[in-house]
Amino acid sequence: MFGVLLGIVAIVLLLGVSYLLSNDKRNINFRAIIIMLGIQFILTWLLLKTTMGLKVVDTISTGFNKLLEYGMEGVDFVVGGWIPEGQSPFFVSVLLILVFTSAFLSLLTHLKILPYIIKFVGGLLSKVTGLPQIESFNAINSIFFGQADAILAIKAHIKSLNKNRLFIISTSAMASVSAALIASYMTMLPSKFVLIAVVLNVFSALIVASIVAPVKVSKEEEEIDINEMIHTKNVFEAIGSGAMDGGKVALIVSVMLIAYLGILALVNGIFDSIFGMDLTTMVGYVFAPIAYLMGIPGNEMITAGSVMGTKLIANEFAAIMQFQPLMADLSEKTVSILSTFLISFASIGSIGIVGGAVQAIDGAKGKEVGAFGLKMLLVATMASILSATVVGLFL
């Protein structure tokens, strides 16, 4: 019972901080906030506490695992002979599968299957909450596509968005993850919490961002054109283009991990020799109170805080790599809450990615994103905290 009360206090504090950060308190859509919080609670309860919900999660997880098996057919054909039997290097088992999943998503996009689903669900979300269609569409779209691609899908509307609407769209993109990466995350973290986090983050980003930067649209006149999401002429081009994009992402993630993990080890060594404590541990103490409020036991909050800090400073993959060896020694509740928290793009490097995507569409709007970049990172991180705290309430 104490854990539940602590989680409720954490959510109230988070919403209170969001309110204090708001630039237009009079126009906050409290009805939408309450509805989205209610949806989060109901969905989390259904998925974690009911037989039907657990079966749904298990079925989806099984589907992803089957998809991984198909994708690994191609990976094994290309690099299978290079890998000693029984070994599974990170690049091969986790990152190369991105080539397949990205190609698959590109094919579904070309066939207009994904665009129609995203437009329908986004429109339904808009009607239920009263939020504008563009913001709702972008939030759902961000489940499937990376930060830059999600923003490019609404490029025709970027120029007409005011600063608050641009903030919500940018934050939703940062607080999400690409569907192409979900299969990779599921090889490293408990699959059900990866899936739950993907769904909860849609609402968490909209909740916090809509309080910090409220929007008031008297009449929604913008029409979403799903053709803007399709950039290929035939299925073969779609598969090829998606595969190339997946390969680029795999290479970029590999390069970034080599750089971040190496530099982090170097900095840890320097801090340890000077202060007798490495940077990772110091960051753990900073984030420890937040981890405790999220529902993580007191004896594990410093370790959890360290992982959370690594995600913010580096990225989610670096944090997961740090987290994996620790999972066996942590409680199930800590593993569940941290797994949920880690599933988002909210890190320092994402400021440049989101800003660059908007800059490519409209230079002036790109400068606006640059101006509120740190605030966007803060709000996206708060969204991850909200998702993880909601999960913690039901464990």
Side-chain angles (χ1 to χ4, degrees):
M1 181 57 114
F2 176 73
V4 173
L5 291 174
L6 193 64
I8 292 172
V9 169
I11 292 173
V12 171
L13 286 174
L14 188 145
L15 296 178
V17 171
S18 303
Y19 182 79
L20 292 175
L21 292 172
S22 179
N23 59 23
D24 187 6
K25 296 178 176 62
R26 290 185 177 181
N27 283 318
I28 295 175
N29 188 341
F30 289 105
R31 175 181 173 274
I33 304 303
I34 293 170
I35 289 173
M36 288 189 287
L37 275 173
I39 292 174
Q40 281 191 315
F41 290 145
I42 293 170
L43 280 176
T44 308
W45 174 75
L46 285 172
L47 295 175
L48 291 181
K49 290 295 184 179
T50 67
T51 303
M52 181 182 293
L54 290 170
K55 186 172 180 60
V56 168
V57 172
D58 183 61
T59 301
I60 296 174
S61 298
T62 301
F64 268 100
N65 288 331
K66 194 64 180 177
L67 200 62
L68 278 174
E69 288 180 20
Y70 291 134
M72 287 305 294
E73 290 286 334
V75 174
D76 289 339
F77 178 81
V78 174
V79 301
W82 302 351
I83 310 302
E85 189 174 348
Q87 296 187 26
S88 184
F90 178 79
F91 182 75
V92 174
S93 62
V94 176
L95 295 183
L96 279 187
I97 196 66
L98 285 171
V99 176
F100 168 74
T101 52
S102 182
F104 183 63
L105 281 174
S106 181
L107 178 61
L108 291 180
T109 301
H110 177 80
L111 296 175
K112 296 188 178 182
I113 296 172
L114 266 185
Y116 276 118
I117 291 173
I118 294 168
K119 184 174 181 179
F120 172 77
V121 178
L124 183 62
L125 179 62
S126 178
K127 289 181 179 179
V128 171
T129 62
L131 293 175
Q133 287 186 26
I134 300 300
E135 282 83 338
S136 300
F137 173 85
N138 179 73
I140 301 301
N141 191 40
S142 295
I143 293 178
F144 298 96
F145 300 100
Q147 301 170 87
D149 290 338
I151 290 172
L152 288 173
I154 55 168
K155 62 182 179 181
H157 305 279
I158 292 293
K159 294 182 180 181
S160 63
L161 299 178
N162 61 33
K163 191 172 182 179
N164 277 13
R165 299 188 71 184
L166 185 63
F167 181 86
I168 293 175
I169 283 170
S170 301
T171 303
S172 288
M174 182 184 281
S176 65
V177 291
S178 166
L181 290 168
I182 292 175
S184 297
Y185 295 138
M186 289 173 67
T187 65
M188 299 183 286
L189 298 171
S191 57
K192 68 178 179 179
F193 294 107
V194 173
L195 296 173
I196 290 170
V198 168
V199 177
L200 291 186
N201 284 345
V202 171
F203 300 100
S204 292
L206 287 175
I207 288 169
V208 183
S210 294
I211 295 175
V212 173
V215 296
K216 189 174 183 180
V217 180
S218 57
K219 185 179 180 181
E220 185 65 60
E221 297 178 345
E222 300 124 317
E223 178 63 29
I224 303 293
D225 184 4
I226 61 173
N227 290 318
E228 292 180 5
M229 300 174 65
I230 302 169
H231 309 291
T232 50
K233 297 178 181 178
N234 54 62
V235 294
F236 302 106
E237 183 182 349
I239 294 171
S241 176
M244 290 298 292
D245 288 341
K248 290 175 186 176
V249 172
L251 183 59
I252 290 170
V253 170
S254 300
V255 170
M256 294 297 284
L257 282 175
I258 292 170
Y260 275 122
L261 292 177
I263 291 174
L264 189 59
L266 171 64
V267 173
N268 277 338
I270 293 172
F271 270 67
D272 191 40
S273 62
I274 296 175
F275 304 106
M277 181 186 296
D278 61 33
L279 177 63
T280 301
T281 304
M282 289 183 177
V283 171
Y285 280 102
V286 173
F287 278 89
I290 299 174
Y292 182 69
L293 285 172
M294 288 163 62
I296 289 172
N299 63 325
E300 297 176 341
M301 64 183 187
I302 295 175
T303 301
S306 175
V307 174
M308 292 168 66
T310 299
K311 178 182 181 297
L312 182 67
I313 296 169
N315 57 39
E316 76 280 6
F317 273 110
I320 293 172
M321 295 293 286
Q322 178 189 344
F323 180 44
Q324 273 190 303
L326 306 172
M327 290 170 64
D329 299 321
L330 296 173
S331 65
E332 184 179 351
K333 186 168 187 178
T334 295
V335 170
S336 304
I337 292 173
L338 271 183
S339 296
T340 305
F341 174 83
L342 292 174
I343 304 302
S344 85
F345 288 136
S347 64
I348 291 175
S350 290
I351 297 175
I353 295 173
V354 175
V358 177
Q359 180 79 30
I361 299 170
D362 186 288
K365 296 297 181 182
K367 290 180 181 178
E368 287 185 12
V369 174
F372 58 59
L374 289 176
K375 190 174 184 180
M376 174 176 63
L377 174 60
L378 171 63
V379 173
T381 303
M382 289 168 67
S384 295
I385 292 171
L386 177 57
S387 295
T389 304
V390 170
V391 166
L393 289 175
F394 295 89
L395 297 175

